Amino acid sequence: MDVQELIQQACAATKNAYIPYSNYPVGAALLAADGTVYTGCNVENASFPVTICAERVALVKAVSEGVRDFSAIAVVTRNAGSPCGMCRQMLFEFAPQMRVIIADMDGNVVFDDALAQLLPLGFTPNHLDHAAS
Ligand code: THU
């Protein structure tokens, strides 16, 4: 996997960020096991909590197309901001061991490790009585 290429795709995704309230663009590039990359940007809303983060946009694009197996995600912001807890949890559902790369717009990487390192003891489908289908 070319990490800088994934970061570049995340960077490009920030161009579509809809951010009239925060002016804080976020881009994500989610690499599926088959090599397909799903990108996402943050999409804000006048009802602030309705906002969806870039990571979850990328994830739901993939899952809605039947893709559930992921190997990495690159998340890019101007100051290498870290994925929020909600996004960590949602990614963890599908691939706790996926690689997470956090970078700034210049490609400087501040974190490159497994998602499980960002969400220790994350809640999984196995904690429920029945596995997710
Ligand atoms: N944001 C993301 O897109 N991903 C995160 O993991 C953290 C926060 C967005 C949401 C909102 O549009 C802006 O960053 C400021 O919170």
Side-chain angles (χ1 to χ4, degrees):
M1 180 209 335
D2 184 340
V3 169
Q4 283 300 325
E5 168 62 25
L6 204 60
I7 290 170
Q8 269 316 308
Q9 295 203 42
C11 241
T14 65
K15 306 288 181 250
N16 292 324
Y18 177 72
I19 48 171
Y21 309 108
S22 74
N23 190 32
Y24 186 77
V26 184
L30 177 65
L31 178 64
D34 70 357
T36 308
V37 174
Y38 297 85
T39 60
C41 62
N42 46 339
V43 181
E44 298 186 343
N45 191 274
S47 177
F48 296 166
V50 176
T51 292
I52 182 166
C53 295
E55 300 91 321
R56 280 177 291 136
V57 169
L59 182 69
V60 299
K61 280 171 70 176
V63 174
S64 68
E65 293 187 19
V67 176
R68 299 178 180 178
D69 196 4
F70 307 107
S71 49
I73 187 169
V75 182
V76 169
T77 58
R78 57 180 168 237
N79 56 0
S82 189
C84 80
M86 194 179 285
C87 289
R88 295 179 197 200
Q89 176 64 35
M90 198 155 170
L91 293 165
F92 198 82
E93 174 87 7
F94 297 96
Q97 294 309 322
M98 85 162 72
R99 187 171 165 187
V100 180
I101 298 133
I102 303 174
D104 66 18
M105 302 282 187
D106 297 321
N108 297 307
V109 174
V110 300
F111 180 89
D112 182 352
D113 206 339
L115 173 60
Q117 298 298 316
L118 285 180
L119 192 67
L121 293 175
F123 191 75
T124 73
N126 291 335
H127 288 113
L128 300 176
D129 290 341
H130 55 277
S133 57

